[in-house]
Amino acid sequence: MKVTVERAELLKSLAHVHRVVERRNTIPILANVLMRSDPRGLALRATDLDIEIVETIAAEVQQEGATTVPAHTIYDIVRKLPEGAQVMIETSGDRGTLTVRAGRSRFALQTLPENEFPDLAAGEMTHSFTLAAGELKRLVDKTQFAISTEETRYYLNGIYLHVADAGGPVLRAVATDGHRLAQAQTTAPAGAIGMPGVIVPRKAVAEIQRLAENADAEVTVELSAAKIRVSLDRVVLTSKLIDGTFPDYGRVIPVGNDKTLIVDKADFASAVDRVSTVASERGRAVKLSIADGKLTLSVTNPDSGSATEEIEVEYAAEPIDIGFNSRYLLDITSQIEGSTAELKLADPGSPTLVQDPEKRGALYVLMPMRV
């Protein structure tokens, strides 16, 4: 193999693919990135057996071939090369090394044979649809913060992506950790109808977020019962899905909450942030005392003291005292795009519904705390 490639192009691509490679690997080949040159350019592939990223970049190919080299090492080498450098990559078959040259720098890296590299992309995909990258990123951004980190409830360790009926078919993303729930949706693209409901794991969700930076680009999503494949520009991400049953989340979304509280999002978030400074690290509980047109936020911590703050709100129902985890409140308010947030409450022991009054595509459910 012998190719010449722009340093900036190679660095950007290695930055995408090397992230899926674990720092500690018991299987040596999984620490490597597969580099393959052909008439289309240079393709880079990395995997951890659960997720795989392949990216093809423009390159001047003098000789076709393939090999694998340590992913983090070659990423660090290219990162440290001077800007604007032309990078020449060449393998010498007899010695099992890959040579990287740029200017007066020369590196020789140990390789492993490419035929040992696992292929995750194989297998039939039953459903395929396209949508704008910005829409897919919005679905992920609005819900990923609520993904559970508890390994025992593995089926909550991802985003549940499925088609639902909301006066017409919608593509809906849902995540929950048992304390809060986030739901976002967009009009279902053609091809998504009839797709299986799938749970996309946290690591794949994080990579999709990064890849979908260009909001105007088109993304192709392909699905089967076991895998998801997302193709964007020259990048193809394939991931295994979480094999489990996502709970019936519809049962926890309250429908009869009759007390409506409307707050200025920025004022509310700032007040929660300020009073929670004295909250205990473990509980982070903040008490909301809501009466006619007035909200008093208070925190009492026996170890460090107390704090209160009052803000003006729109509220005309009977007074209520309710407690929430301040971190969860801040996570939810940060997702609201408009200037106000709408909280629908029932009583101090029941879940609260939070929505953006200006954009109805997303909703959040928050379980109260004892305060």
Side-chain angles (χ1 to χ4, degrees):
M1 178 173 82
K2 187 176 180 183
V3 297
T4 306
V5 63
E6 289 265 342
R7 178 236 178 216
E9 280 281 292
L10 184 58
L11 181 63
K12 187 180 172 187
S13 181
L14 282 168
H16 283 155
V17 300
H18 95 287
R19 281 194 305 256
V20 307
V21 178
E22 298 291 346
R23 284 274 176 192
R24 291 197 181 94
N25 263 307
T26 50
I27 307 169
I29 196 79
L30 295 183
N32 283 15
V33 57
L34 171 66
M35 307 178 91
R36 185 187 299 281
S37 62
D38 61 27
R40 292 172 302 163
L42 179 66
L44 305 170
R45 175 186 295 192
T47 183
D48 66 357
L49 294 182
D50 288 322
I51 185 170
E52 174 189 275
I53 293 186
V54 184
E55 182 163 0
T56 307
I57 57 172
E60 188 186 312
V61 179
Q62 286 106 335
Q63 190 180 339
E64 293 180 30
T67 191
T68 79
V69 286
H72 293 291
T73 307
I74 193 162
Y75 171 71
D76 285 339
I77 287 170
V78 176
R79 183 172 57 82
K80 292 173 183 178
L81 291 174
E83 280 185 33
Q86 291 286 320
V87 184
M88 198 180 101
I89 298 168
E90 188 176 4
T91 54
S92 52
D94 51 334
R95 291 196 304 275
T97 58
L98 176 111
T99 307
V100 179
R101 286 193 185 89
R104 295 184 182 183
S105 304
R106 182 181 177 280
F107 302 86
L109 301 177
Q110 291 298 317
T111 63
L112 287 171
E114 53 99 13
N115 57 10
E116 291 180 19
F117 203 83
D119 182 11
L120 194 69
E124 272 300 302
M125 297 292 183
T126 54
H127 290 78
S128 173
F129 57 88
T130 58
L131 74 165
E135 277 301 298
L136 182 62
K137 189 172 184 335
R138 190 182 73 83
L139 290 179
V140 169
D141 285 349
K142 296 262 180 238
T143 52
Q144 59 84 28
F145 71 90
I147 294 175
S148 174
T149 53
E150 224 179 284
E151 296 301 328
T152 49
R153 299 163 82 188
Y154 65 93
Y155 48 85
L156 299 182
N157 294 160
I159 288 178
Y160 181 48
L161 194 64
H162 60 297
V163 172
D165 185 20
V170 292
L171 181 64
R172 183 179 286 171
V174 181
T176 182
D177 60 5
H179 305 289
R180 59 206 168 148
L181 177 144
Q183 172 187 303
Q185 61 194 37
T186 187
T187 307
I193 313 298
M195 69 175 247
V198 297
I199 308 171
V200 185
R202 188 192 304 110
K203 190 170 180 179
V205 165
E207 290 307 321
I208 290 168
Q209 264 184 308
R210 292 188 184 108
L211 293 177
E213 288 294 309
N214 179 4
D216 299 326
E218 281 279 298
V219 183
T220 302
V221 179
E222 296 167 89
L223 291 163
S224 70
K227 288 180 190 168
I228 182 169
R229 185 183 296 143
V230 178
S231 309
L232 176 71
D233 294 335
R234 302 167 306 179
V235 186
V236 180
L237 178 147
T238 308
S239 171
K240 289 180 180 174
L241 297 165
I242 292 174
D243 182 14
T245 305
F246 200 79
D248 181 7
Y249 65 89
R251 295 210 323 247
V252 301
I253 297 174
V255 287
N257 290 12
D258 54 352
K259 300 177 179 68
T260 303
L261 167 68
I262 294 177
V263 297
D264 180 284
K265 184 188 83 168
D267 290 351
F268 179 66
S270 300
V272 170
D273 195 26
R274 277 191 290 271
V275 298
S276 65
T277 311
V278 298
S280 70
E281 206 38 55
R282 208 177 128 266
R284 291 183 171 165
V286 57
K287 180 178 172 184
L288 278 61
S289 300
I290 316 156
D292 197 20
K294 190 176 73 172
L295 165 63
T296 305
L297 298 117
S298 58
V299 170
T300 306
N301 182 355
D303 300 325
S304 61
S306 62
T308 60
E309 184 162 340
E310 198 175 282
I311 59 171
E312 289 183 5
V313 295
E314 288 180 41
Y315 184 77
E318 61 196 58
I320 183 173
D321 289 356
I322 190 167
F324 294 111
N325 180 311
S326 58
R327 180 74 258 150
Y328 295 170
L329 276 176
L330 291 171
D331 282 345
I332 289 173
T333 48
S334 70
Q335 297 305 324
I336 287 170
E337 294 170 44
S339 57
T340 58
E342 179 184 87
L343 288 79
K344 287 191 173 289
L345 309 123
D347 58 64
S350 299
T352 292
L353 184 68
V354 186
Q355 282 178 299
D356 185 339
E358 294 167 37
K359 284 210 167 184
R360 290 291 181 180
L363 63 83
Y364 307 94
V365 179
L366 190 51
M367 293 300 291
M369 288 178 77
R370 267 217 191 96
V371 283

